[in-house]
C-alpha cells in the first residue's frame, strides 16, 4: 500500500524558512509539483504518574512526482520520501531516497547530522480467500498470528498482533505488525524498521543504514509468508 523512508533531524540542526525552496530547486526535475499542507501529529509523553498527549500542527511542503504516486514531504526537521501502490521496486525507490537526502545535506551544509529518528516502513495489504474465518486465514497464509488456547472463544472477529525485534546490538528496532481488516478478507502486514536512539550520521552513512534496514525488512517479509500464500502471488 505504501512505503516510507523518514528522516527526523535533531533540534540542534540549523533549519530556516529557506530550506524548502532550496531543496525544491534540487529535486524539481523528478518532483516538479509543489503543494503546502498542514500536518497533524500526536506526541505522547509518559511518566509513572501521568500519560500526556500533545497534538502538534505544522506546515509541510510536498513535492510530487509524475502521477503523484511518489512524493517528498518536508517539514521542520523532517524529510520523508513516500511511494504508493503499485510499488515500483527498491531499484526505483532507493535513488529517490538518496537524491532527497543528499540534496537536504547540501542545503544544510553540514557534515555529520544528528538524526532523532530514521525509519523505513512498508505497509502491505494481502488479499486472501475469504471462505475461512479471520484467524484461520492468518494461520494458513502468514507465520505471525495470534495464538488462542482452547479456553478462549474461537469465533474471532478481528485481531491486531505485533512483535518488536532488536537489531545491531540494540541500536535498531523493527516492529512487525499483522492486522485483520474490519470489513473484508484482507490482512495488513506492517514492517517498520527504525533507530532505537538518536545518532549522528553523515548523509552517506545514513544511506548505508537505509540499505541495511531494507535488507532486514525484506528478510522479515519473506519470513512472514507461508507457502500457501506464495502460490497466490502473481509473478512479477
Amino acid at each position: 500500500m505504501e512505503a516510507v523512508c523518514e528522516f527526523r533531524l535533531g533540534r540542534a540542526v540549523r533549519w530556516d524558512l529557506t530550506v524548502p525552496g532550496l531543496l525544491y530547486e534540487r529535486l524539481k526535475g523528478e518532483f516538479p509539483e509543489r503543494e503546502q499542507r498542514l500536518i497533524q501529529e500526536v506526541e505522547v509523553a509518559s511518566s509513572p504518574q501521568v500519560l500526556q498527549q500533545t497534538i502538534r500542527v505544522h506546515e509541510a511542503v510536498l513535492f510530487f512526482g509524475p502521477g503523484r504516486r511518489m512524493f517528498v514531504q518536508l517539514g521542520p526537521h523532517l524529510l520523508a520520501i513516500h511511494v504508493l501502490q503499485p510499488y515500483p521496486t527498491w531499484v526505483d525507490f532507493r535513488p529517490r531516497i538518496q537524491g532527497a537526502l543528499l540534496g537536504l545535506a547540501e542545503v544544510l551544509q553540514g557534515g555529520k547530522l544528528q538524526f532523532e529518528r530514521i525509519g523505513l516502513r512498508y505497509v502491505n495489504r494481502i488479499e486472501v480467500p475469504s471462505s475461512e474465518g479471520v484467524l484461520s486465514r492468518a494461520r494458513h497464509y502468514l507465520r505471525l498470528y495470534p495464538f488462542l488456547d482452547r479456553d478462549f472463544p474461537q469465533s474471532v472477529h478481528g485481531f491486531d498482533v505485533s512483535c518488536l525485534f532488536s537489531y545491531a546490538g540494540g541500536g535498531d528496532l523493527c516492529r512487525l505488525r499483522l492486522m485483520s481488516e474490519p470489513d473484508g478478507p484482507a490482512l495488513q502486514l506492517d514492517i517498520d524498521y527504525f533507530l532505537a536512539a538518536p545518532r549522528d550520521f553523515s548523509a552517506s552513512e545514513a544511506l548505508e543504514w537505509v540499505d541495511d534496514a531494507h535488507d532486514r525488512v525484506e528478510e522479515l517479509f519473506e519470513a512472514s509468508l507461508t507457502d500457501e500464500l506464495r502460490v497466490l502471488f502473481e509473478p512479477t
Side-chain angles (χ1 to χ4, degrees), residues 13-131:
V13 176
R14 180 191 65 84
W15 193 281
D16 58 45
L17 296 177
T18 66
V19 171
L22 292 172
L23 183 59
Y24 177 69
E25 288 301 313
R26 287 164 170 77
L27 301 182
K28 65 182 180 182
E30 289 191 282
F31 298 94
E33 188 178 344
R34 182 165 57 177
E35 187 176 301
Q36 287 187 303
R37 292 185 184 175
L38 289 177
I39 305 296
Q40 183 173 314
E41 294 183 338
V42 178
E43 183 178 288
V44 178
S46 61
S47 68
Q49 293 79 27
V50 66
L51 181 67
Q52 184 175 0
Q53 179 174 294
T54 304
I55 298 177
R56 301 183 186 279
V57 178
H58 64 82
E59 192 172 82
V61 183
L62 277 63
F63 309 146
F64 290 94
R68 298 172 70 93
R69 285 196 307 109
M70 193 175 296
F71 61 94
V72 174
Q73 178 186 338
L74 187 68
H77 294 85
L78 168 68
L79 172 71
I81 303 90
H82 300 248
V83 59
L84 306 177
Q85 61 181 348
Y87 180 64
T89 77
W90 181 243
V91 174
D92 292 321
F93 186 30
R94 203 272 188 190
R96 274 64 176 194
I97 297 171
Q98 176 175 326
L101 181 60
L102 293 182
L104 182 62
E106 290 177 6
V107 169
L108 297 178
Q109 299 177 347
K112 293 272 187 177
L113 296 173
Q114 183 191 52
F115 290 91
E116 290 288 334
R117 187 183 194 275
I118 307 177
L120 183 65
R121 183 180 182 187
Y122 282 77
V123 182
N124 306 280
R125 185 175 186 270
I126 302 173
E127 296 185 10
V128 295
S130 60
S131 58

Side-chain angles (χ1 to χ4, degrees), residues 10-11 32-33 39 45 64 95 110 119 162 176 192 194 200 214 222:
R11 295 297 169 180
E33 188 178 344
I39 305 296
F64 290 94
S162 66
L176 178 65
D192 188 11
F194 54 94
D200 291 350
H214 180 261
E222 292 292 339

Side-chain angles (χ1 to χ4, degrees), residues 147-161:
F147 168 75
L148 295 177
D149 205 346
R150 60 186 180 184
D151 292 333
F152 289 94
Q154 297 300 303
S155 55
V156 177
H157 181 69
F159 64 84
D160 183 341
V161 60

